[in-house]
Amino acid sequence: MTKKDFYQAVAERRSRYSISPKTTIEQDKILEIIEYAIKNAPSAFNSQSQRVVVTFGEHHKKVWEIAKNILKGMLPAEAYKTTEEKLNSFQAGYGTVLYFEDQATVEGLQKQFPTYSANFPVWSQHASGMLQYIIWTAFAAEGLGATLQHYSPLIDEQVAKAFDVPSSWKLIAQMPFGVPTAEPASKDFMPINQRLKVFK
Ligand SMILES: Cc1cc2nc3c(=O)[nH]c(=O)nc-3n(C[C@H](O)[C@H](O)[C@H](O)COP(=O)(O)O)c2cc1C
């Protein structure tokens, strides 16, 4: 990847809610991207706390079936309609990346470095976010659209059971992806000078 490709991908990574069950690249290439991202994403003290489950086909559908069943049981029928449409749009994709953080690693660091105890759960979330961002941006560079979803803790137990997830892995986020079928929504940008101070 050249520098220009990188900057372009940073701008082209958007939340793509409208996705199809198609892909622009082979499953092996998707897995290569995810492995590359897991290996190279930074983590506090190089603790490598990030964990991932990748689902395709029926497994991907299962993730969103779980979310639908749970939310159907929780929401009034009218409110569920809108939610179901949203969940169907995620299920309509090609796959879902599930992001976890290993709590045994986090707790190990807390014991090893008590001075920073309160920081490790926060840094673990940062590490997950960095991994999510690499994959999201790499997908965009390959013409795949994705969004970042948060249905935890509602779906955690059933997801763990369905995908044989170790008990120390905590679900952080879900990223459905596929070939985008619509342009992304327009996006407002605050003036940069309200967000950045420079001293030189
Ligand atoms: C930490 C974080 C949490 C987010 N959670 C959700 C979410 O739960 N559901 C969702 O649809 N989008 C979620 N988003 C996506 C944001 O709404 C989106 O990135 C933002 O509106 C900017 O749009 P863009 O992604 O198209 O650049 C999240 C983004 C971040 C960085």
Side-chain angles (χ1 to χ4, degrees):
M1 199 185 240
T2 66
K3 261 188 177 175
K4 182 160 174 260
D5 288 336
F6 174 75
Y7 293 124
Q8 203 173 330
V10 166
E12 284 174 5
R13 181 226 49 83
R14 294 291 318 279
S15 292
R16 308 299 295 260
Y17 290 93
S18 184
I19 50 175
S20 73
K22 294 187 184 144
T23 184
T24 51
I25 50 176
E26 297 291 320
Q27 259 181 32
D28 281 355
K29 175 72 180 168
I30 293 174
L31 294 174
E32 200 181 296
I33 287 169
I34 292 170
E35 284 173 18
Y36 187 81
I38 292 172
K39 181 178 173 190
N40 291 295
S43 58
F45 288 51
N46 195 29
S47 56
Q48 298 167 67
S49 53
Q50 304 101 323
R51 303 287 184 269
V52 168
V53 171
V54 191
T55 60
F56 296 109
E58 288 310 305
H59 303 285
H60 148 77
K61 288 215 171 76
K62 174 82 183 167
V63 173
W64 299 106
E65 219 45 55
I66 290 172
K68 282 199 271 188
N69 284 334
I70 290 172
L71 283 152
K72 192 175 186 177
M74 284 178 58
L75 296 173
E78 206 45 43
Y80 177 67
K81 256 194 213 163
T82 323
T83 299
E84 187 181 27
E85 274 170 32
K86 208 161 68 168
L87 295 171
N88 279 339
S89 72
F90 305 144
Q91 196 171 37
Y94 181 73
T96 299
V97 185
L98 301 170
Y99 295 90
F100 299 81
E101 282 290 306
D102 183 37
Q103 299 309 294
T105 303
V106 175
E107 286 156 23
L109 285 165
Q110 288 180 306
K111 283 204 187 92
Q112 205 182 339
F113 305 102
T115 322
Y116 300 116
S117 185
N119 296 104
F120 286 117
V122 178
W123 290 338
S124 154
Q125 294 280 343
H126 293 181
S128 180
M130 291 187 188
L131 174 63
Q132 292 160 31
Y133 183 74
I134 295 171
I135 294 174
W136 197 352
T137 306
F139 279 178
E142 301 290 352
L144 286 172
T147 57
L148 190 55
Q149 301 303 324
H150 296 93
Y151 288 92
S152 288
L154 293 179
I155 63 170
D156 294 15
E157 210 179 299
Q158 288 193 35
V159 164
K161 208 186 275 176
F163 301 106
D164 200 18
V165 175
S167 61
S168 64
W169 294 19
K170 182 181 168 187
L171 184 57
I172 309 293
Q174 305 84 46
M175 182 175 281
F177 63 90
V179 174
T181 53
E183 288 303 308
S186 67
K187 179 172 162 180
D188 294 331
F189 295 93
M190 284 169 63
I192 294 296
N193 66 8
Q194 287 177 17
R195 303 174 64 190
L196 172 70
K197 282 176 182 284
V198 181
F199 298 88
K200 59 183 180 184

